[in-house]
Amino acid sequence: MRRVAVVAPAPVSMFNLAIPELLFDKVEVDGYPGYEVLICAPEPGPVPTTGGLDLYVRHGLDVVRDADTVLVAGTGALYGADPRTEAALRAAAAAGKRIASLCTGAFALAQAGLLDGRRATTYWQHAEELRRRHPGVDLCGDVLYVQDGSVLTSSGYAAGIDLCLHIIRTDYGAAVANEVARLALVAPVRPGGQTQFTQTPLPPERGTACADTRGWAMRNLDKPLTLTDLARHAGVSVRTLTRRFHAESGVSPLQWLLHQRIERAKELLETTALPMDQVARACGLGTADSLRGHLVRRTGLTPSAYRTQFSRLGTSLPGMEPAA
Protein backbone atom coordinates (compact mmCIF):
# COMPACT_ATOMS: atom_id res chain seq x y z
CA MET A 1 0.00 0.00 0.00
CA ARG A 2 1.25 3.47 -0.92
CA ARG A 3 0.71 6.38 1.44
CA VAL A 4 -0.42 9.81 0.26
CA ALA A 5 -0.12 12.71 2.69
CA VAL A 6 -2.43 15.55 1.71
CA VAL A 7 -1.38 18.87 3.24
CA ALA A 8 -4.30 21.21 4.00
CA PRO A 9 -3.04 24.84 4.01
CA ALA A 10 -5.50 27.28 5.52
CA PRO A 11 -7.93 28.32 4.18
CA VAL A 12 -8.05 25.06 2.25
CA SER A 13 -10.26 24.21 -0.72
CA MET A 14 -12.79 21.55 0.30
CA PHE A 15 -13.03 20.42 -3.32
CA ASN A 16 -9.27 19.90 -3.48
CA LEU A 17 -9.33 17.83 -0.30
CA ALA A 18 -12.13 15.66 -1.66
CA ILE A 19 -10.30 14.75 -4.87
CA PRO A 20 -7.53 12.53 -3.39
CA GLU A 21 -9.99 10.75 -1.09
CA LEU A 22 -12.43 10.22 -3.96
CA LEU A 23 -9.86 8.73 -6.32
CA PHE A 24 -7.04 7.13 -4.34
CA ASP A 25 -9.46 5.37 -1.98
CA LYS A 26 -11.08 3.62 -4.95
CA VAL A 27 -7.85 1.92 -6.01
CA GLU A 28 -7.80 -1.82 -5.35
CA VAL A 29 -5.01 -4.15 -6.40
CA ASP A 30 -5.61 -7.90 -6.01
CA GLY A 31 -8.43 -7.12 -3.61
CA TYR A 32 -6.35 -4.83 -1.37
CA PRO A 33 -6.36 -1.04 -1.08
CA GLY A 34 -3.73 0.60 -3.24
CA TYR A 35 -3.37 3.75 -1.17
CA GLU A 36 -3.73 5.12 2.31
CA VAL A 37 -4.72 8.80 2.26
CA LEU A 38 -3.95 10.94 5.31
CA ILE A 39 -4.94 14.61 5.49
CA CYS A 40 -2.57 16.66 7.61
CA ALA A 41 -1.90 20.24 8.68
CA PRO A 42 0.85 22.10 10.53
CA GLU A 43 -1.41 22.14 13.57
CA PRO A 44 -3.93 19.28 14.00
CA GLY A 45 -7.43 20.47 14.77
CA PRO A 46 -9.86 22.82 13.05
CA VAL A 47 -8.63 24.17 9.71
CA PRO A 48 -10.62 26.95 8.01
CA THR A 49 -11.78 26.39 4.43
CA THR A 50 -12.36 28.75 1.54
CA GLY A 51 -16.09 28.05 1.95
CA GLY A 52 -16.23 29.53 5.44
CA LEU A 53 -16.42 26.19 7.29
CA ASP A 54 -13.89 24.56 9.58
CA LEU A 55 -12.65 21.02 8.93
CA TYR A 56 -11.15 18.94 11.70
CA VAL A 57 -7.77 17.55 10.62
CA ARG A 58 -6.46 14.80 12.86
CA HIS A 59 -2.89 14.48 11.63
CA GLY A 60 0.11 16.74 11.87
CA LEU A 61 2.93 17.03 9.37
CA ASP A 62 4.74 14.07 10.92
CA VAL A 63 2.79 11.79 8.55
CA VAL A 64 4.71 13.35 5.66
CA ARG A 65 7.86 11.49 6.74
CA ASP A 66 6.35 8.08 5.94
CA ALA A 67 4.45 9.12 2.82
CA ASP A 68 5.34 8.06 -0.70
CA THR A 69 3.54 11.07 -2.19
CA VAL A 70 3.01 14.48 -0.60
CA LEU A 71 0.20 16.48 -2.14
CA VAL A 72 -0.54 20.11 -1.25
CA ALA A 73 -4.18 21.11 -1.69
CA GLY A 74 -5.28 24.47 -3.06
CA THR A 75 -5.74 27.39 -0.72
CA GLY A 76 -7.20 30.85 -0.68
CA ALA A 77 -3.94 32.21 0.78
CA LEU A 78 -1.41 32.48 -2.02
CA TYR A 79 1.38 33.86 0.16
CA GLY A 80 2.92 33.17 3.52
CA ALA A 81 2.86 29.38 3.63
CA ASP A 82 3.41 28.05 7.13
CA PRO A 83 7.19 27.63 7.72
CA ARG A 84 6.52 24.16 9.10
CA THR A 85 4.87 23.20 5.81
CA GLU A 86 7.83 24.58 3.86
CA ALA A 87 10.27 22.59 6.00
CA ALA A 88 8.24 19.39 5.62
CA LEU A 89 8.08 19.82 1.85
CA ARG A 90 11.80 20.44 1.56
CA ALA A 91 12.58 17.41 3.70
CA ALA A 92 10.21 15.25 1.65
CA ALA A 93 11.80 16.42 -1.60
CA ALA A 94 15.29 15.78 -0.23
CA ALA A 95 14.19 12.26 0.69
CA GLY A 96 13.15 11.63 -2.91
CA LYS A 97 9.41 11.57 -2.32
CA ARG A 98 6.97 12.51 -5.04
CA ILE A 99 5.67 16.04 -4.44
CA ALA A 100 2.47 17.34 -6.01
CA SER A 101 0.09 20.27 -5.75
CA LEU A 102 -3.47 20.99 -6.75
CA CYS A 103 -4.50 24.42 -8.01
CA THR A 104 -2.98 27.19 -5.86
CA GLY A 105 -1.05 24.68 -3.79
CA ALA A 106 1.72 25.39 -6.30
CA PHE A 107 2.43 28.63 -4.46
CA ALA A 108 3.49 26.66 -1.36
CA LEU A 109 5.80 24.50 -3.49
CA ALA A 110 7.27 27.60 -5.09
CA GLN A 111 7.77 29.31 -1.73
CA ALA A 112 9.60 26.21 -0.53
CA GLY A 113 11.92 26.53 -3.54
CA LEU A 114 10.80 23.23 -5.06
CA LEU A 115 9.71 24.71 -8.40
CA ASP A 116 12.84 26.72 -9.21
CA GLY A 117 14.05 25.68 -12.64
CA ARG A 118 11.14 23.29 -13.07
CA ARG A 119 8.12 23.33 -15.34
CA ALA A 120 4.94 23.90 -13.34
CA THR A 121 1.40 25.18 -13.60
CA THR A 122 -1.41 26.54 -11.44
CA TYR A 123 -4.93 27.83 -11.86
CA TRP A 124 -4.93 30.16 -14.86
CA GLN A 125 -6.31 33.16 -12.94
CA HIS A 126 -3.23 33.11 -10.69
CA ALA A 127 -0.61 32.09 -13.26
CA GLU A 128 0.78 35.56 -13.83
CA GLU A 129 1.01 36.16 -10.09
CA LEU A 130 3.01 32.97 -9.68
CA ARG A 131 5.26 34.04 -12.54
CA ARG A 132 5.76 37.50 -11.01
CA ARG A 133 6.52 36.29 -7.50
CA HIS A 134 8.63 33.30 -8.52
CA PRO A 135 10.43 34.09 -11.79
CA GLY A 136 12.59 31.00 -11.41
CA VAL A 137 9.60 28.78 -12.21
CA ASP A 138 9.21 27.66 -15.83
CA LEU A 139 5.49 28.36 -15.83
CA CYS A 140 3.24 26.44 -18.24
CA GLY A 141 0.21 28.61 -17.69
CA ASP A 142 -2.38 26.94 -19.90
CA VAL A 143 -2.16 23.18 -19.36
CA LEU A 144 -4.02 20.77 -17.09
CA TYR A 145 -1.03 19.41 -15.21
CA VAL A 146 2.74 19.16 -15.48
CA GLN A 147 5.23 16.58 -14.26
CA ASP A 148 8.86 17.59 -14.00
CA GLY A 149 10.82 14.76 -12.46
CA SER A 150 9.29 13.89 -9.10
CA VAL A 151 7.32 17.16 -8.85
CA LEU A 152 3.80 17.48 -10.27
CA THR A 153 1.50 20.49 -10.36
CA SER A 154 -2.04 20.86 -11.65
CA SER A 155 -4.17 23.79 -12.68
CA GLY A 156 -7.55 24.54 -11.13
CA TYR A 157 -10.59 22.56 -10.11
CA ALA A 158 -11.17 19.37 -12.16
CA ALA A 159 -7.56 19.33 -13.40
CA GLY A 160 -6.70 17.99 -9.94
CA ILE A 161 -8.70 14.89 -10.87
CA ASP A 162 -6.56 14.49 -13.98
CA LEU A 163 -3.37 14.80 -11.94
CA CYS A 164 -4.48 12.18 -9.40
CA LEU A 165 -5.53 9.79 -12.17
CA HIS A 166 -2.12 10.33 -13.75
CA ILE A 167 -0.46 9.36 -10.46
CA ILE A 168 -2.62 6.21 -10.24
CA ARG A 169 -1.78 5.31 -13.82
CA THR A 170 1.94 5.81 -13.09
CA ASP A 171 1.76 3.61 -9.98
CA TYR A 172 -0.63 0.87 -11.08
CA GLY A 173 -1.17 1.17 -14.84
CA ALA A 174 -3.79 2.47 -17.23
CA ALA A 175 -6.35 -0.27 -16.55
CA VAL A 176 -6.50 0.56 -12.84
CA ALA A 177 -6.67 4.31 -13.52
CA ASN A 178 -9.48 3.85 -16.02
CA GLU A 179 -11.42 1.66 -13.60
CA VAL A 180 -11.09 4.33 -10.90
CA ALA A 181 -12.34 6.95 -13.35
CA ARG A 182 -15.32 4.74 -14.18
CA LEU A 183 -16.18 4.16 -10.51
CA ALA A 184 -15.85 7.88 -9.75
CA LEU A 185 -17.97 8.80 -12.80
CA VAL A 186 -15.26 11.06 -14.20
CA ALA A 187 -13.50 11.18 -17.54
CA PRO A 188 -10.54 8.85 -18.12
CA VAL A 189 -7.05 10.28 -17.88
CA ARG A 190 -6.63 13.38 -20.03
CA PRO A 191 -3.13 14.32 -21.23
CA GLY A 192 -1.46 16.93 -19.06
CA GLY A 193 -0.63 19.04 -22.10
CA GLN A 194 -4.29 19.61 -22.86
CA THR A 195 -5.18 23.24 -22.30
CA GLN A 196 -7.33 24.62 -19.52
CA PHE A 197 -9.81 25.92 -22.13
CA THR A 198 -9.73 29.42 -20.77
CA GLN A 199 -10.25 32.51 -22.81
CA THR A 200 -6.91 33.54 -24.28
CA PRO A 201 -7.18 37.28 -24.71
CA LEU A 202 -4.56 39.29 -26.52
CA PRO A 203 -2.70 41.99 -24.61
CA PRO A 204 -4.93 45.03 -23.97
CA GLU A 205 -5.03 47.50 -26.82
CA ARG A 206 -3.15 50.71 -26.15
CA GLY A 207 -4.19 52.91 -29.06
CA THR A 208 -6.80 53.61 -31.69
CA ALA A 209 -4.87 54.41 -34.89
CA CYS A 210 -5.48 50.88 -36.21
CA ALA A 211 -8.91 50.41 -34.64
CA ASP A 212 -10.81 50.90 -37.90
CA THR A 213 -8.57 48.39 -39.65
CA ARG A 214 -9.02 45.86 -36.87
CA GLY A 215 -12.78 46.27 -37.11
CA TRP A 216 -12.67 45.92 -40.89
CA ALA A 217 -10.57 42.75 -40.59
CA MET A 218 -13.02 41.26 -38.09
CA ARG A 219 -15.82 41.79 -40.62
CA ASN A 220 -13.77 40.10 -43.33
CA LEU A 221 -12.23 37.12 -41.56
CA ASP A 222 -13.58 34.82 -44.26
CA LYS A 223 -11.31 36.49 -46.83
CA PRO A 224 -7.59 35.70 -47.37
CA LEU A 225 -6.31 38.94 -45.85
CA THR A 226 -2.65 39.79 -46.18
CA LEU A 227 -0.37 42.38 -44.61
CA THR A 228 -0.71 44.40 -47.82
CA ASP A 229 -4.51 44.30 -47.55
CA LEU A 230 -4.39 45.54 -43.97
CA ALA A 231 -1.88 48.27 -44.78
CA ARG A 232 -3.91 49.41 -47.79
CA HIS A 233 -7.03 49.72 -45.64
CA ALA A 234 -5.10 51.69 -43.01
CA GLY A 235 -3.58 53.93 -45.69
CA VAL A 236 -0.02 53.31 -44.54
CA SER A 237 2.97 51.22 -45.55
CA VAL A 238 3.32 47.65 -44.36
CA ARG A 239 6.24 48.69 -42.18
CA THR A 240 4.27 51.50 -40.54
CA LEU A 241 1.23 49.26 -40.04
CA THR A 242 3.34 46.59 -38.38
CA ARG A 243 4.97 49.10 -36.04
CA ARG A 244 1.68 50.77 -35.08
CA PHE A 245 -0.17 47.50 -34.77
CA HIS A 246 2.42 46.05 -32.40
CA ALA A 247 2.48 49.24 -30.34
CA GLU A 248 -1.31 49.14 -29.94
CA SER A 249 -2.02 45.40 -29.71
CA GLY A 250 1.21 43.89 -28.39
CA VAL A 251 1.43 41.45 -31.32
CA SER A 252 2.08 41.58 -35.05
CA PRO A 253 -0.86 42.06 -37.45
CA LEU A 254 -0.68 38.46 -38.65
CA GLN A 255 -0.51 37.09 -35.09
CA TRP A 256 -3.54 39.15 -34.20
CA LEU A 257 -5.36 37.97 -37.34
CA LEU A 258 -4.63 34.29 -36.65
CA HIS A 259 -5.85 34.68 -33.07
CA GLN A 260 -9.13 36.17 -34.30
CA ARG A 261 -9.57 33.41 -36.87
CA ILE A 262 -9.12 30.68 -34.26
CA GLU A 263 -11.49 32.42 -31.84
CA ARG A 264 -14.09 32.70 -34.61
CA ALA A 265 -13.62 29.00 -35.42
CA LYS A 266 -14.16 28.07 -31.77
CA GLU A 267 -17.32 30.18 -31.70
CA LEU A 268 -18.69 28.48 -34.82
CA LEU A 269 -17.87 25.02 -33.46
CA GLU A 270 -19.70 25.85 -30.23
CA THR A 271 -22.77 27.48 -31.75
CA THR A 272 -23.38 25.91 -35.19
CA ALA A 273 -23.58 22.52 -36.89
CA LEU A 274 -21.56 23.67 -39.90
CA PRO A 275 -19.32 21.00 -41.46
CA MET A 276 -15.63 21.46 -40.73
CA ASP A 277 -14.70 22.71 -44.19
CA GLN A 278 -17.36 25.42 -43.94
CA VAL A 279 -16.12 26.43 -40.49
CA ALA A 280 -12.60 26.69 -41.89
CA ARG A 281 -13.70 28.87 -44.80
CA ALA A 282 -15.92 31.09 -42.63
CA CYS A 283 -13.02 32.01 -40.33
CA GLY A 284 -10.42 32.29 -43.08
CA LEU A 285 -8.38 29.22 -42.21
CA GLY A 286 -9.00 27.77 -45.64
CA THR A 287 -9.34 24.02 -45.23
CA ALA A 288 -10.50 21.53 -42.62
CA ASP A 289 -6.89 20.30 -42.32
CA SER A 290 -5.66 23.82 -41.62
CA LEU A 291 -8.43 24.32 -39.04
CA ARG A 292 -7.49 21.06 -37.40
CA GLY A 293 -3.80 21.90 -37.20
CA HIS A 294 -4.34 25.33 -35.67
CA LEU A 295 -6.97 24.14 -33.19
CA VAL A 296 -4.92 21.18 -32.00
CA ARG A 297 -1.95 23.48 -31.39
CA ARG A 298 -4.12 25.97 -29.51
CA THR A 299 -6.36 23.63 -27.48
CA GLY A 300 -4.99 20.10 -27.76
CA LEU A 301 -8.28 18.96 -29.33
CA THR A 302 -9.39 18.22 -32.87
CA PRO A 303 -12.31 20.33 -34.16
CA SER A 304 -14.75 17.45 -33.73
CA ALA A 305 -13.53 16.78 -30.17
CA TYR A 306 -13.74 20.48 -29.34
CA ARG A 307 -17.31 20.62 -30.68
CA THR A 308 -18.33 17.51 -28.75
CA GLN A 309 -17.00 18.98 -25.50
CA PHE A 310 -18.14 22.58 -25.85
CA SER A 311 -21.16 22.65 -28.17
CA ARG A 312 -23.96 24.88 -26.91
CA LEU A 313 -26.49 23.06 -29.12
CA GLY A 314 -28.78 20.62 -27.39
CA THR A 315 -29.09 18.11 -30.20
CA SER A 316 -26.73 15.90 -32.12
CA LEU A 317 -24.69 17.72 -34.73
CA PRO A 318 -24.55 16.68 -38.36
CA GLY A 319 -21.39 17.11 -40.35
CA MET A 320 -19.07 16.20 -37.48
CA GLU A 321 -15.81 14.62 -38.57
CA PRO A 322 -14.55 11.64 -36.59
CA ALA A 323 -11.70 12.48 -34.23
CA ALA A 324 -8.42 10.89 -35.19
Side-chain angles (χ1 to χ4, degrees), residues 2-7 24 35-38 63-64 66-72 92 96-101 150 152 163 167 171:
R2 301 171 185 267
R3 173 176 285 187
V4 179
V6 182
V7 181
F24 292 127
Y35 295 96
E36 178 187 24
V37 179
L38 298 175
V63 300
V64 169
D66 297 321
D68 302 287
T69 299
V70 182
L71 193 156
V72 182
K97 301 180 187 296
R98 179 166 53 198
I99 310 295
S101 67
S150 60
L152 302 91
L163 181 141
I167 290 174
D171 290 343

Side-chain angles (χ1 to χ4, degrees), residues 64-133:
V64 169
R65 289 194 298 269
D66 297 321
D68 302 287
T69 299
V70 182
L71 193 156
V72 182
T75 173
L78 303 184
Y79 322 123
D82 191 295
R84 291 169 291 182
T85 297
E86 287 188 63
L89 291 172
R90 292 193 190 101
K97 301 180 187 296
R98 179 166 53 198
I99 310 295
S101 67
L102 304 183
C103 195
T104 53
F107 281 80
L109 269 57
Q111 187 171 318
L114 303 186
L115 299 184
D116 289 344
R118 293 185 183 271
R119 292 179 299 116
T121 192
T122 188
Y123 184 41
W124 67 273
Q125 285 189 324
H126 302 298
E128 287 306 314
E129 181 67 7
L130 182 65
R131 191 194 310 274
R132 184 183 68 83
R133 294 185 67 89

Side-chain angles (χ1 to χ4, degrees), residues 202 227 230 241-242 245-246 249-258:
L202 294 171
L227 267 177
L230 295 172
L241 173 81
T242 301
F245 216 100
H246 198 282
S249 302
V251 293
S252 73
L254 293 184
Q255 287 175 322
W256 177 89
L257 191 59
L258 178 60

Side-chain angles (χ1 to χ4, degrees), residues 157-170:
Y157 298 105
I161 296 175
D162 298 300
L163 181 141
C164 289
L165 287 174
H166 171 73
I167 290 174
I168 294 169
R169 180 177 59 182
T170 300

Side-chain angles (χ1 to χ4, degrees), residues 121-313:
T121 192
T122 188
Y123 184 41
W124 67 273
Q125 285 189 324
H126 302 298
E128 287 306 314
E129 181 67 7
L130 182 65
R131 191 194 310 274
R132 184 183 68 83
R133 294 185 67 89
H134 301 282
V137 178
D138 182 6
L139 186 66
C140 306
D142 194 32
V143 297
L144 295 179
Y145 60 88
V146 176
Q147 177 167 2
D148 190 326
S150 60
V151 179
L152 302 91
T153 53
S154 79
S155 57
Y157 298 105
I161 296 175
D162 298 300
L163 181 141
C164 289
L165 287 174
H166 171 73
I167 290 174
I168 294 169
R169 180 177 59 182
T170 300
D171 290 343
Y172 293 108
V176 173
N178 288 339
E179 175 65 10
V180 169
R182 186 185 68 82
L183 292 173
L185 300 178
V186 298
V189 179
R190 295 185 290 177
Q194 184 169 310
T195 70
Q196 297 182 41
F197 299 112
T198 61
Q199 294 297 320
T200 53
L202 294 171
E205 295 177 359
R206 298 183 290 273
T208 60
C210 296
D212 287 345
T213 297
R214 287 194 295 268
W216 172 79
M218 290 293 293
R219 296 189 297 271
N220 290 275
L221 286 178
D222 58 324
K223 297 180 175 61
L225 301 177
T226 66
L227 267 177
T228 301
D229 296 327
L230 295 172
R232 184 182 299 115
H233 182 275
V236 297
S237 68
V238 168
R239 183 175 180 179
T240 298
L241 173 81
T242 301
R243 176 173 52 80
R244 290 181 180 176
F245 216 100
H246 198 282
E248 292 183 14
S249 302
V251 293
S252 73
L254 293 184
Q255 287 175 322
W256 177 89
L257 191 59
L258 178 60
H259 178 93
Q260 303 304 333
R261 293 192 192 284
I262 295 172
E263 292 302 304
R264 177 67 57 82
K266 289 162 62 178
E267 179 183 350
L268 292 173
L269 290 170
E270 293 172 17
T271 61
T272 76
L274 289 172
M276 298 306 169
D277 57 345
Q278 292 185 30
V279 172
R281 288 196 299 269
C283 63
L285 290 175
T287 66
D289 285 343
S290 177
L291 167 65
R292 179 190 180 90
H294 285 297
L295 200 69
V296 167
R297 283 190 290 274
R298 178 65 62 88
T299 70
L301 294 180
T302 63
S304 59
Y306 184 91
R307 173 174 271 171
T308 297
Q309 187 157 346
F310 294 104
S311 173
R312 304 176 204 172
L313 301 181

